[in-house]
Amino acid sequence: MSVRPRPGSEVPALTARMTRTGNPAGTAAMWVRDRLDGLWRDEDFADWYPRDGRPGLSPAQLATVSVLQFLLGLSDRDAAEAVRCRLDFKYALGLDLDDPGFHHSVLTDFRDRLLEEGRTDRLLDLALARLRRPEWSASGPPSAPTPPTSWPPCAT
């Protein structure tokens, strides 16, 4: 698969520290990272991309951005800007603070791939199967908070 290695397997320490300091109560993006990270892996998307050619962005990260975009009602431009500018999005994706993000058209291309050949159902089934595993149900405390759906916008 011609995909750039995913940089976000661990949140960089500085990104985590600055995000938690600026958002002590957390945000939806932080909740998604803390509770749902690992629902998808780049390998889950291997047959979506050609084996040769210029490596693309991490599809697992693009799936996460798409979930955040839906949760927060963001346009493609706004979601791409959030990846470039918002600490909580960098935290959710495991990016360094100076990561430049991507052009908003990447999200359209990703959705186009998602709509081909029943891929949405396959990804949803995979996510649901992973959420049913014992390690997911035991990963958070029983009183784990639900994701916030609104809050004042973060300063960038």
Side-chain angles (χ1 to χ4, degrees):
M1 173 170 79
S2 186
V3 171
R4 265 189 265 167
R6 182 179 181 200
S9 59
E10 296 292 326
V11 178
L14 183 59
T15 301
R17 187 169 71 245
M18 290 189 67
T19 304
R20 293 239 176 256
T21 299
N23 301 288
T27 67
M30 294 167 70
W31 187 92
V32 165
R33 172 65 188 218
D34 292 342
R35 298 287 182 234
L36 302 179
D37 185 49
L39 277 182
W40 300 288
R41 296 183 211 109
D42 287 338
E43 299 78 33
D44 299 330
F45 304 86
D47 60 337
W48 296 22
Y49 296 88
R51 292 194 176 277
D52 54 1
R54 196 173 109 209
L57 297 168
S58 162
Q61 287 180 320
L62 290 174
T64 301
V65 171
S66 296
V67 167
L68 291 171
Q69 181 180 11
F70 174 78
L71 280 173
L72 302 174
L74 301 175
S75 68
D76 288 350
R77 287 182 191 271
D78 290 341
E81 182 178 344
V83 172
R84 276 192 307 279
C85 302
R86 286 180 54 165
L87 293 175
D88 60 338
F89 271 61
K90 290 188 181 288
Y91 176 90
L93 300 174
L95 301 175
D96 285 314
L97 295 176
D98 62 352
D99 189 280
F102 51 82
H103 191 269
H104 66 87
S105 64
V106 170
L107 292 169
T108 302
D109 295 340
F110 181 74
R111 276 194 308 275
D112 289 346
R113 288 181 194 267
L114 186 61
L115 292 173
E116 293 175 14
E117 304 168 11
R119 291 173 173 169
T120 52
D121 290 338
R122 194 174 78 198
L123 279 183
L124 180 59
D125 290 344
L126 178 62
L128 291 173
R130 286 186 179 149
L131 285 170
R132 287 185 191 112
R133 290 183 184 168
E135 63 267 21
W136 278 91
S137 59
S139 65
S143 61
T146 57
T149 54
S150 64
W151 59 85
C154 295
T156 54

